[in-house]
CSV table of all heavy atoms in Angstrom, one decimal:
chain,number,residue,atom,x,y,z
A,63,THR,N,13.5,27.8,-3.3
A,63,THR,CA,12.2,27.9,-4.0
A,63,THR,C,12.4,28.2,-5.4
A,63,THR,O,13.4,28.9,-5.8
A,63,THR,CB,11.3,28.9,-3.4
A,63,THR,OG1,11.9,30.2,-3.5
A,63,THR,CG2,11.0,28.6,-1.9
A,64,LYS,N,11.6,27.6,-6.3
A,64,LYS,CA,11.7,27.8,-7.8
A,64,LYS,C,10.4,28.3,-8.3
A,64,LYS,O,9.3,28.1,-7.7
A,64,LYS,CB,12.1,26.5,-8.4
A,64,LYS,CG,13.5,26.0,-8.0
A,64,LYS,CD,14.6,26.9,-8.5
A,64,LYS,CE,16.0,26.3,-8.2
A,64,LYS,NZ,17.0,27.1,-8.6
A,65,GLU,N,10.4,28.9,-9.5
A,65,GLU,CA,9.2,29.3,-10.2
A,65,GLU,C,8.4,30.2,-9.3
A,65,GLU,O,8.9,31.2,-8.9
A,65,GLU,CB,8.5,28.1,-10.8
A,65,GLU,CG,9.5,27.3,-11.7
A,65,GLU,CD,8.8,26.4,-12.7
A,65,GLU,OE1,7.6,26.6,-13.0
A,65,GLU,OE2,9.5,25.5,-13.2
A,66,ALA,N,7.2,29.9,-9.0
A,66,ALA,CA,6.3,30.8,-8.2
A,66,ALA,C,6.4,30.5,-6.7
A,66,ALA,O,5.6,30.9,-5.9
A,66,ALA,CB,4.9,30.7,-8.7
A,67,GLY,N,7.4,29.7,-6.3
A,67,GLY,CA,7.5,29.3,-4.9
A,67,GLY,C,7.8,30.4,-4.0
A,67,GLY,O,8.4,31.4,-4.4
A,68,GLN,N,7.3,30.3,-2.8
A,68,GLN,CA,7.5,31.3,-1.8
A,68,GLN,C,8.1,30.7,-0.6
A,68,GLN,O,7.9,29.5,-0.3
A,68,GLN,CB,6.1,31.9,-1.4
A,68,GLN,CG,5.4,32.6,-2.6
A,68,GLN,CD,4.1,33.1,-2.2
A,68,GLN,OE1,3.8,33.3,-1.0
A,68,GLN,NE2,3.2,33.4,-3.1
A,69,PRO,N,9.0,31.4,0.1
A,69,PRO,CA,9.7,30.8,1.3
A,69,PRO,C,8.7,30.7,2.5
A,69,PRO,O,8.9,31.4,3.5
A,69,PRO,CB,10.8,31.8,1.5
A,69,PRO,CG,10.3,33.1,1.1
A,69,PRO,CD,9.4,32.8,-0.1
A,70,LEU,N,7.8,29.8,2.4
A,70,LEU,CA,6.8,29.6,3.5
A,70,LEU,C,7.1,28.4,4.3
A,70,LEU,O,7.5,27.3,3.8
A,70,LEU,CB,5.4,29.5,2.9
A,70,LEU,CG,4.9,30.6,2.0
A,70,LEU,CD1,3.6,30.3,1.3
A,70,LEU,CD2,4.8,31.9,2.7
A,71,ARG,N,6.8,28.5,5.6
A,71,ARG,CA,7.0,27.3,6.5
A,71,ARG,C,6.2,26.2,6.0
A,71,ARG,O,5.0,26.3,5.6
A,71,ARG,CB,6.6,27.7,7.9
A,71,ARG,CG,6.7,26.5,8.9
A,71,ARG,CD,6.3,26.9,10.3
A,71,ARG,NE,6.3,25.8,11.2
A,71,ARG,CZ,7.4,25.2,11.7
A,71,ARG,NH1,8.6,25.7,11.5
A,71,ARG,NH2,7.3,24.2,12.5
A,72,THR,N,6.8,25.0,5.9
A,72,THR,CA,6.2,23.8,5.4
A,72,THR,C,6.5,22.6,6.3
A,72,THR,O,7.6,22.5,6.8
A,72,THR,CB,6.7,23.5,4.0
A,72,THR,OG1,6.5,24.6,3.1
A,72,THR,CG2,6.0,22.3,3.4
A,73,VAL,N,5.5,21.8,6.5
A,73,VAL,CA,5.6,20.6,7.4
A,73,VAL,C,5.2,19.4,6.5
A,73,VAL,O,4.1,19.5,5.9
A,73,VAL,CB,4.8,20.7,8.7
A,73,VAL,CG1,5.0,19.4,9.5
A,73,VAL,CG2,5.3,21.9,9.5
A,74,ILE,N,5.9,18.3,6.5
A,74,ILE,CA,5.6,17.1,5.8
A,74,ILE,C,5.7,15.9,6.8
A,74,ILE,O,6.7,15.7,7.4
A,74,ILE,CB,6.5,16.9,4.6
A,74,ILE,CG1,6.5,18.1,3.7
A,74,ILE,CG2,6.1,15.6,3.9
A,74,ILE,CD1,7.6,18.0,2.6
A,75,LEU,N,4.5,15.2,6.8
A,75,LEU,CA,4.5,14.0,7.7
A,75,LEU,C,4.1,12.8,6.8
A,75,LEU,O,3.4,13.0,5.7
A,75,LEU,CB,3.4,14.1,8.7
A,75,LEU,CG,3.6,15.2,9.8
A,75,LEU,CD1,2.8,16.4,9.6
A,75,LEU,CD2,3.4,14.6,11.2
A,76,GLU,N,4.5,11.6,7.2
A,76,GLU,CA,4.1,10.4,6.5
A,76,GLU,C,3.2,9.6,7.3
A,76,GLU,O,3.5,9.4,8.5
A,76,GLU,CB,5.4,9.6,6.1
A,76,GLU,CG,5.2,8.4,5.4
A,76,GLU,CD,6.5,7.6,5.1
A,76,GLU,OE1,7.0,7.0,6.1
A,76,GLU,OE2,7.0,7.8,4.0
A,77,PHE,N,2.2,9.0,6.7
A,77,PHE,CA,1.3,8.1,7.4
A,77,PHE,C,1.1,6.8,6.6
A,77,PHE,O,1.4,6.8,5.4
A,77,PHE,CB,-0.1,8.8,7.6
A,77,PHE,CG,-0.2,9.8,8.7
A,77,PHE,CD1,0.1,11.1,8.4
A,77,PHE,CD2,-0.5,9.4,10.0
A,77,PHE,CE1,0.1,12.1,9.4
A,77,PHE,CE2,-0.5,10.4,11.0
A,77,PHE,CZ,-0.2,11.7,10.7
A,78,GLU,N,0.6,5.8,7.2
A,78,GLU,CA,0.4,4.5,6.5
A,78,GLU,C,-0.8,4.6,5.6
A,78,GLU,O,-0.9,3.8,4.6
A,78,GLU,CB,0.3,3.4,7.5
A,78,GLU,CG,1.5,3.1,8.2
A,78,GLU,CD,2.7,2.6,7.3
A,78,GLU,OE1,2.4,1.8,6.4
A,78,GLU,OE2,3.8,3.0,7.5
A,79,SER,N,-1.8,5.4,5.8
A,79,SER,CA,-3.0,5.5,5.0
A,79,SER,C,-3.7,6.8,5.2
A,79,SER,O,-3.5,7.6,6.2
A,79,SER,CB,-4.0,4.3,5.5
A,79,SER,OG,-4.5,4.6,6.8
A,80,VAL,N,-4.7,7.1,4.3
A,80,VAL,CA,-5.5,8.3,4.4
A,80,VAL,C,-6.3,8.2,5.7
A,80,VAL,O,-6.4,9.2,6.4
A,80,VAL,CB,-6.4,8.4,3.2
A,80,VAL,CG1,-7.5,9.5,3.4
A,80,VAL,CG2,-5.6,8.7,1.9
A,81,GLU,N,-6.8,7.0,6.0
A,81,GLU,CA,-7.6,6.9,7.2
A,81,GLU,C,-6.8,7.2,8.5
A,81,GLU,O,-7.3,7.9,9.4
A,81,GLU,CB,-8.2,5.5,7.3
A,81,GLU,CG,-9.2,5.1,6.3
A,81,GLU,CD,-8.6,4.8,4.9
A,81,GLU,OE1,-7.4,4.6,4.8
A,81,GLU,OE2,-9.3,4.9,3.9
A,82,ALA,N,-5.5,6.8,8.5
A,82,ALA,CA,-4.6,7.1,9.6
A,82,ALA,C,-4.4,8.6,9.8
A,82,ALA,O,-4.4,9.1,10.9
A,82,ALA,CB,-3.3,6.3,9.5
A,83,ALA,N,-4.2,9.3,8.6
A,83,ALA,CA,-4.0,10.7,8.7
A,83,ALA,C,-5.2,11.4,9.1
A,83,ALA,O,-5.1,12.4,9.9
A,83,ALA,CB,-3.5,11.2,7.3
A,84,ARG,N,-6.4,11.0,8.6
A,84,ARG,CA,-7.6,11.6,9.1
A,84,ARG,C,-7.8,11.4,10.6
A,84,ARG,O,-8.3,12.3,11.3
A,84,ARG,CB,-8.8,11.1,8.3
A,84,ARG,CG,-8.9,11.6,6.9
A,84,ARG,CD,-10.1,11.0,6.2
A,84,ARG,NE,-10.3,11.5,4.9
A,84,ARG,CZ,-11.1,11.0,4.0
A,84,ARG,NH1,-11.8,10.0,4.3
A,84,ARG,NH2,-11.2,11.6,2.8
A,85,ALA,N,-7.6,10.2,11.0
A,85,ALA,CA,-7.8,9.9,12.4
A,85,ALA,C,-6.8,10.7,13.3
A,85,ALA,O,-7.2,11.1,14.4
A,85,ALA,CB,-7.5,8.4,12.7
A,86,ALA,N,-5.6,10.9,12.8
A,86,ALA,CA,-4.6,11.8,13.5
A,86,ALA,C,-5.1,13.2,13.7
A,86,ALA,O,-5.1,13.8,14.7
A,86,ALA,CB,-3.3,11.7,12.8
Side-chain angles (χ1 to χ4, degrees):
T63 59
K64 299 290 184 181
E65 302 198 20
Q68 298 176 19
L70 303 175
R71 178 178 174 79
T72 303
V73 179
I74 303 172
L75 294 102
E76 180 180 79
F77 285 90
E78 291 296 319
S79 67
V80 170
E81 293 77 18
R84 284 182 178 166

